[in-house]
Amino acid sequence: DTAVSQTPKYLVTQMGNDKSIKCEQNLGHDTMYWYKQDSKKFLKIMFSYNNKELIINETVPNRFSPKSPDKAHLNLHINSLELGDSAVYFCASSQDLGGRSPLHFGNGTRLTVT
Amino acid sequence: SQELEQSPQSLIVQEGKNLTINCTSSKTLYGLYWYKQKYGEGLIFLMMLQKGGEEKSHEKITAKLDEKKQQSSLHITASQPSHAGIYLCGADRGVTNAGKSTFGDGTTLTVKP
């Protein structure tokens, strides 16, 4: 029973294409996130959603558009992919937005843009 | 500059040896988390520290938060190959920065059998 699951695990695509990554959590958490981990393993927050509402958008290009159909799902759509978008994208969830509950992470989606 | 700095960036130890990883914040922390990441997997939550001077242990891993709540250390006793991975510290920045959990840049641990 995977708590936070994201698909696909690997994504290889060409520049200019549009792609989506899906994420689902079965923990009953209110808050979900997208993080980007670059080649140096640095983990940076992209978006945060609380009860389907966008809370944080950390200066992410508008080619990236998150969508939360319900509080158990947070998808990430990326338009016009660029080489610099290559990274591992992690979905995560937490009990609430208060920051006092730990994040639960999915296994990541390794995106390679050629 | 990053809000959380970890040291060392990488560590290679012989199985059975003890080791310490440090995490230093440029700002006072409301709380600090430690996570472990294995290659190709997500981050696994290890421990959360919220009070100055707090210390927690899980199996052979002990984490401490200093009194000023700006530095934390993670100590592994009698390391095993199963401890290998990337260790990241993450910060709780309080309610005003809720949802903006920030992370250190990780410490890669290799344990040689």
Side-chain angles (χ1 to χ4, degrees), chain A residues 18-73:
Chain A
D18 303 338
K19 290 292 177 185
S20 293
I21 306 171
K22 294 185 176 182
C23 179
E24 175 182 3
Q25 55 96 2
N26 62 5
L27 297 167
H29 287 170
D30 287 342
T31 311
M32 295 186 73
Y33 311 80
W34 278 110
Y35 278 85
K36 179 181 179 181
Q37 188 174 44
D38 61 25
S39 57
K40 295 183 179 179
K41 305 299 180 187
F42 184 58
L43 203 61
K44 186 172 181 180
I45 190 164
M46 300 173 67
F47 300 102
S48 164
Y49 267 75
N50 191 55
N51 280 318
K52 302 193 302 175
E53 183 182 344
L54 178 65
I55 301 298
I56 291 165
N57 177 343
E58 283 291 296
T59 60
V60 179
N62 58 16
R63 297 183 295 105
F64 290 79
S65 52
K67 281 197 172 67
S68 183
D70 55 63
K71 74 173 192 177
H73 295 84

Side-chain angles (χ1 to χ4, degrees), chain A residues 11 13-20 36 60-65 76-86 89 111-114:
Chain A
L11 192 50
T13 188
Q14 291 184 326
M15 284 175 56
N17 285 348
D18 303 338
K19 290 292 177 185
S20 293
K36 179 181 179 181
V60 179
N62 58 16
R63 297 183 295 105
F64 290 79
S65 52
L76 183 66
H77 187 76
I78 315 170
N79 289 327
S80 303
L81 278 155
E82 300 177 357
L83 291 176
D85 297 332
S86 296
Y89 293 85
L111 171 65
T112 303
V113 182
T114 61

Side-chain angles (χ1 to χ4, degrees), chain A residues 9 33 35 37 40-43 45 48 55-56 58 90 97-108 110, chain B residues 2 30 33 35 37 39-43 45 48 50 86 88 92 94-95 97-105:
Chain A
K9 188 171 175 65
Y33 311 80
Y35 278 85
Q37 188 174 44
K40 295 183 179 179
K41 305 299 180 187
F42 184 58
L43 203 61
I45 190 164
S48 164
I55 301 298
I56 291 165
E58 283 291 296
F90 285 101
L97 196 60
R100 299 305 168 93
S101 57
L103 300 176
H104 295 255
F105 284 84
N107 283 340
R110 184 173 293 274
Chain B
Q2 288 176 222
Y30 286 87
Y33 305 100
Y35 293 85
Q37 182 181 20
Y39 181 77
E41 298 178 17
L43 281 69
F45 170 71
M48 176 172 67
Q50 290 187 299
I86 301 170
L88 293 100
D92 170 4
V95 174
N97 289 297
K100 288 188 180 182
S101 297
T102 55
F103 289 85
D105 48 5

Side-chain angles (χ1 to χ4, degrees), chain B residues 17-75:
Chain B
K17 296 293 185 185
N18 302 337
L19 64 106
T20 300
I21 298 169
N22 294 302
C23 176
T24 303
S25 173
S26 58
K27 303 175 184 177
T28 299
L29 299 163
Y30 286 87
L32 185 118
Y33 305 100
W34 281 101
Y35 293 85
K36 178 186 175 185
Q37 182 181 20
K38 289 196 168 183
Y39 181 77
E41 298 178 17
L43 281 69
I44 305 297
F45 170 71
L46 296 175
M47 277 173 275
M48 176 172 67
L49 304 164
Q50 290 187 299
K51 299 176 184 175
E54 187 175 10
E55 179 175 321
K56 286 189 177 177
S57 293
H58 176 68
E59 297 180 344
K60 293 185 179 179
I61 301 177
T62 301
K64 299 179 187 179
L65 183 62
D66 74 339
E67 290 290 343
K68 291 184 179 179
K69 296 176 72 175
Q70 283 192 275
Q71 191 165 31
S72 177
S73 60
L74 185 86
H75 184 77

